[in-house]
């Protein structure tokens, strides 16, 4: 979902940005990449790759603007099984997701880029601090959408100016199947947890795409290197994987704490623990992470205040304080109601009697979702076993 990245959901993507038309009219047609040889047009990939790396992306690859039958079948099964839950937009634009040229008929090639957000320390350490909240690694600083979008615009302008190409850029908000495209472009493969796994960056790549009218020679697609490993499946607290390479988002903590708007199902609340925004468990245990270097992008390095904030401080936030604390953060998108609901679930799981007054104070909250979660949290803390 990533939203979710987060970003843990398969097949979820991005926002459309058209290029400036005046840019095409004045664009230089100077080729990029290798010089022209008789009968052979220049290959633009080297110039694009060099620019992408110079802009600050950590990985870049190329593929054609189409997807194979396997990606379409995965999406169809995901929706038909009801695994998308409240995310009706996944089903509504399924055809555009599974067929890039249905989204933009003129598209011929795709430039796929990745930005590493690998943490420097154990991303799961916060889940052991029961009186504190655990926030997914990607959401502990600035909203990555804005960071990637800015870099993609620079890359798109470069492509337009050198190739006189039409382009569209995407960063996790339009109907684009990012992970299959990333696999086709050689950035990694979709692991058993359905997220992208890179041999160089582990499970810690944020993705973006440039659709272009250029015919690009595709890079070699990455093959699966999960082998017999099942760590990501085994660690999932809510057992959200019906089978390897399949995710039931309605059981996924990232979905429940970010995308789901109503009360969280009671039978899943205990397993959520103190995770108040997203979940990194399946990502963090991937063995390929041993090759990942901590991110060098300052805006993706976790802020201390969001690494393991106290539940007592978070539950006291009013709407203005919530907006101020999470300004520029992806957390702001879910709004205070969903966030306080999540914090109350964590309070109920904390076993900390000192937090009981916090949940008791919200049992009569005018928002029914908050009031119900406060009732549940108070009942949990009143149990002798808590």
């Amino acid at each position: 979902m990533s939203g979710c990245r987060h970003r843990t959901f398969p097949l979820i993507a991005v926002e459309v940005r058209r290029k400036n038309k005046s840019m095409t009219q004045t664009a230089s047609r100077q080729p990029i990449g290798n010089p022209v040889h008789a009968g052979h047009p220049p290959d633009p990939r080297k110039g694009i790759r060099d620019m992408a790396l110079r802009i600050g992306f950590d990985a870049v690859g190329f593929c054609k603007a189409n997807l194979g039958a396997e990606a379409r079948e995965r999406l169809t099964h995901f929706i038909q099984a009801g695994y998308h839950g409240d995310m009706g937009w996944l089903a509504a634009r399924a055809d555009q997701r599974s067929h890039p040229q249905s989204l933009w008929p003129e598209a011929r090639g795709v430039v796929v880029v990745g930005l590493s957000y690998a943490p420097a320390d154990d991303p799961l350490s916060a889940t052991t601090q029961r009186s504190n909240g655990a926030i997914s690694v990607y959401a502990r600083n600035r909203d990555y959408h804005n960071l990637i979008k800015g870099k993609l615009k620079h890359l798109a302008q470069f492509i337009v100016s050198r190739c006189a190409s039409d382009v569209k850029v995407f960063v996790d908000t339009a109907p684009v199947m990012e992970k299959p495209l990333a696999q086709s472009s050689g950035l990694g493969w979709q692991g058993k947890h359905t997220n992208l796994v890179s041999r160089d960056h582990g499970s810690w790549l944020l993705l973006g795409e440039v659709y272009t009218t250029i015919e690009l020679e595709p890079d070699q697609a990455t093959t699966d290197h999960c082998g017999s490993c099942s760590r990501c499946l085994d660690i999932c607290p809510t057992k959200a994987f019906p089978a390897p390479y399949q995710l039931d988002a309605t059981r996924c903590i990232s979905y429940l704490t970010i995308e789901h708007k109503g009360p969280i199902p009671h039978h899943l609340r205990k397993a959520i623990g103190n995770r108040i925004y997203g979940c990194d468990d399946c990502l963090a245990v991937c063995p390929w992470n041993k090759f990942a270097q901590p991110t060098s992008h300052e805006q993706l390095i976790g802020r201390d205040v969001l690494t393991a904030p106290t539940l007592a401080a978070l539950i006291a936030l009013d709407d203005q304080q919530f907006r101020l604390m999470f300004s520029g953060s992806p957390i702001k998108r879910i709004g205070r109601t969903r966030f306080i609901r999540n914090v109350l679930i964590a309070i109920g799981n904390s076993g900390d009697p000192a937090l009981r007054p916090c949940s008791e104070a919200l049992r009569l909250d005018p928002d029914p979702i908050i009031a119900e979660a406060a009732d549940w949290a108070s009942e949990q803390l009143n149990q002798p076993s808590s």
Side-chain angles (χ1 to χ4, degrees), residues 2-300:
S2 200
C4 305
R5 172 24 199 144
H6 179 127
R7 289 185 32 334
T8 65
F9 307 126
L11 322 170
I12 301 177
V14 260
E15 175 178 308
V16 178
R17 287 282 187 251
R18 293 182 181 272
K19 69 168 185 61
N20 187 323
K21 292 297 183 183
S22 63
M23 192 182 303
T24 303
Q25 296 167 3
T26 60
S28 164
R29 293 184 179 272
Q30 175 186 352
I32 57 179
N34 299 327
V36 180
H37 297 287
H40 297 282
D43 184 349
R45 292 180 303 166
K46 183 182 185 303
I48 296 173
R49 191 189 305 275
D50 290 347
M51 177 56 71
L53 296 175
R54 193 153 60 241
I55 289 170
F57 288 113
D58 299 300
V60 57
F62 305 90
C63 65
K64 293 186 178 298
N66 55 58
L67 290 169
E70 182 181 357
R72 294 193 291 272
E73 289 168 1
R74 277 194 186 188
L75 177 58
T76 299
H77 177 265
F78 181 73
I79 293 170
Q80 289 180 346
Y83 291 159
H84 60 304
D86 295 340
M87 298 182 291
W89 37 270
L90 277 172
R93 303 184 71 179
D95 186 62
Q96 289 181 322
R97 291 181 192 283
S98 58
H99 298 278
Q101 291 178 338
S102 293
L103 177 63
W104 188 29
E106 292 79 13
R108 294 294 178 268
V110 182
V111 184
V112 186
V113 294
L115 206 64
S116 171
Y117 70 109
D121 51 9
D122 180 7
L124 300 185
S125 61
T127 62
T128 64
Q129 304 174 47
R130 299 179 66 190
S131 296
N132 299 67
I135 294 173
S136 188
V137 170
Y138 83 89
R140 294 178 184 177
N141 201 326
R142 309 298 290 180
D143 191 335
Y144 76 88
H145 296 87
N146 298 330
L147 178 60
I148 294 181
K149 186 189 301 181
K151 293 179 181 296
L152 275 181
K153 284 182 177 179
H154 285 299
L155 182 59
Q157 289 169 353
F158 175 81
I159 295 171
V160 167
S161 67
R162 298 302 181 91
C163 301
S165 163
D166 287 342
V167 297
K168 293 178 185 285
V169 305
F170 301 90
V171 192
D172 197 28
T173 55
V176 174
M177 293 176 71
E178 295 186 304
K179 298 164 198 174
L181 288 172
Q183 181 164 339
S184 295
S185 67
L187 265 61
W189 68 95
Q190 279 191 267
K192 293 179 181 178
H193 53 16
T194 75
N195 289 284
L196 192 76
V197 182
S198 163
R199 299 183 75 157
D200 298 319
H201 306 286
S203 290
W204 306 114
L205 274 183
L206 302 167
L207 300 174
E209 300 79 36
V210 180
Y211 279 25
T212 173
T213 53
I214 306 171
E215 294 277 1
L216 293 170
E217 184 69 23
D219 287 330
Q220 184 174 356
T222 310
T223 55
D224 190 302
H225 295 282
C226 287
S228 61
C229 179
S230 62
R231 294 184 192 180
C232 60
L233 309 180
D234 299 337
I235 198 173
C236 180
T238 53
K239 307 304 178 188
F241 299 104
Y245 308 102
Q246 295 182 27
L247 171 68
D248 179 355
T250 65
R251 298 185 64 88
C252 175
I253 294 175
S254 285
Y255 166 84
L256 293 169
T257 58
I258 299 173
E259 300 294 341
H260 184 58
K261 297 178 181 179
I264 292 175
H266 281 236
H267 67 284
L268 297 174
R269 292 185 179 187
K270 280 294 186 183
I272 289 175
N274 69 334
R275 299 167 184 82
I276 59 173
Y277 187 91
C279 178
D280 291 321
D281 291 38
C282 66
L283 303 176
V285 298
C286 180
W288 287 96
N289 290 338
K290 65 184 177 182
F291 297 108
Q293 297 298 313
T295 183
S296 59
H297 305 288
E298 185 176 351
Q299 291 180 310
L300 297 177

